[in-house]
Amino acid sequence: MTETTHIQTTPPGDGMKPRSPEYRVAVDSLRGLRQDLFHDAFAYRPLPRRSTDGRIIRRLPARLREQATWTPHALIGLAALITLLISAADADDAVLLIAPLTVIPVLLTMIRPVAAFWASMVSTPLAAMIGSNWGEWPWAAGSFACHLTVLTVVAMRTRPRTAGWMWALTALYAIIADSGIGPTYLYGTNSGPMLVLSAMILLCVTVWHVRSAAAQEVTAQQTVTAHERSRRTLLEERTTIARELHDVVAHHMSVVAIQAEAAPYRVENPPPELEKAFATIRENAVAALTELRRVLGVVRAEDYEAPDAPQPTLADLEGLLANVREAGLGVEKAVTGAVRELPQGVELSAYRIVQEALSNTLRHAPGATARVEIGYVLGGLGLRVVNGPPPNPGLIKPSPGAGHGITGMRERVSMLDGEMTAGRTDDGGYEVTVFLPVALPDAGDA
């Protein structure tokens, strides 16, 4: 015979039996009760003022509109006053004892709502034992009005689950009070009216909560939809602009590059200066096409990733000056201060400003000389691009531009919180002066 040994293994986990669904529901319910009515029960939660954007309040005069924001507080105060009057009519001799027990919980709902519910639960048997002319148990007349008011206000200031727990505890108190505790053999019970009225009120409040949550969700969804629609419209407009730029500018720049490359072959034995000039024209056209493709990529889509090619900085200024010198512009450069590396935005903006200023000189003052001055100061970077008057003003052709160059420079300077002045000089030239601030490094970073 073969002996078989059975080894019983313990399933992974804590070794306890799995809990039944009913047990988990009960545990979750008790956890919800503890979270809603016991955790931070005395937390300070002041009742907020009513918004002035309501359909009724916004139509009121300005003086009344400010006072109307205190409407919730006024209504609770009115309810406390009604409760006080009911308590005074119900308990003639003991009104000084019963009135605080019924009024304080109502007023407490404005600052500590959960504590107000517990105060009402505690004050109910105390008011009933002190005495009542109403003749019913376990709620005296003032306590009846107090508890209904507290349930309503606290349910409106909390969530629907809290309202359910408050009604359940109220029903539990009614069952215990009607089970033989108290003078039930002399008076009738008013637990039924209390539970029915409170259930109807809490049901209405719960429906109001659900409706408000649904309205907020619909509003949020409409906002998201409107935002997505505006983004889609913007993307369509940007795509249209990119297409127009590509069809117009890219076509003409491509023609310029091709003609500049083919021009030397149409002339027999062209001089080296002519070949170099056409080569420079072609290089500039190709560089312009490259920059245009980068700009079009940014315009076409929001998720466009810029190429890894570095943006020009002041270190590339010599290449720019050499380019304009080959185009026939005499330009000098002067640098003052300790040359240092500046933030990328400042470097790029300074390069573009000098580039645009020199382009304007080539366009509007052909044959003139220019000077570029760069000053590295403690708080930023100073730029000055000035050109002299054109030697032959009659040869200047009207420019078809709309002045976007100066506007673009001002936008760059404004984006960096800098300062810029541009205008004609006394001798008929033109001057552009710019200051771009740069934050000083912290002492800890030095």
Side-chain angles (χ1 to χ4, degrees), residues 353 356-357 360 383-387 403 405-410 413 419-425 429-435:
I353 290 171
E356 181 61 31
N360 289 340
L383 294 176
R384 181 174 179 267
V385 182
V386 58
N387 62 268
I406 297 295
T407 302
M409 287 191 285
R410 292 190 185 279
V413 174
E419 298 178 359
M420 172 181 166
T421 58
R424 295 195 174 277
T425 59
Y430 202 84
E431 178 181 353
V432 176
T433 305
V434 174
F435 177 75

Side-chain angles (χ1 to χ4, degrees), residues 77 129 137-138 162 184 189 201 209 222 250 260 294 300 316 325 368 391 415 444:
M129 287 185 294
W137 170 272
T162 306
T184 55
T189 177
I201 293 174
H209 270 298
Q222 290 176 348
R294 183 181 295 114
R300 283 184 181 275
D316 304 315
R325 289 190 184 106
M415 182 178 59

Side-chain angles (χ1 to χ4, degrees), residues 303-382:
D303 56 351
Y304 174 79
E305 295 183 2
D308 295 333
Q311 295 291 331
T313 62
L314 290 177
D316 304 315
L317 201 57
E318 288 296 336
L320 174 63
L321 298 182
N323 194 356
V324 296
R325 289 190 184 106
E326 293 178 358
L329 176 63
V331 57
E332 299 178 356
K333 185 182 78 167
V335 179
T336 58
V339 178
R340 66 183 186 277
E341 185 178 357
L342 300 175
Q344 177 64 30
V346 176
E347 293 268 356
L348 176 60
S349 297
Y351 180 90
R352 294 301 187 194
I353 290 171
V354 174
Q355 183 183 41
E356 181 61 31
L358 295 178
S359 298
N360 289 340
T361 302
L362 285 171
R363 188 182 305 113
H364 300 291
T369 58
R371 178 178 175 85
V372 178
E373 299 177 359
I374 304 174
Y376 290 86
V377 296
L378 186 62
L381 177 71

Side-chain angles (χ1 to χ4, degrees), residues 253 257-258 280-293:
M253 293 304 298
I258 294 173
T280 302
I281 294 174
R282 183 183 182 279
E283 290 176 359
N284 289 334
V286 172
L289 284 173
T290 303
E291 293 288 338
L292 179 62
R293 292 190 186 98

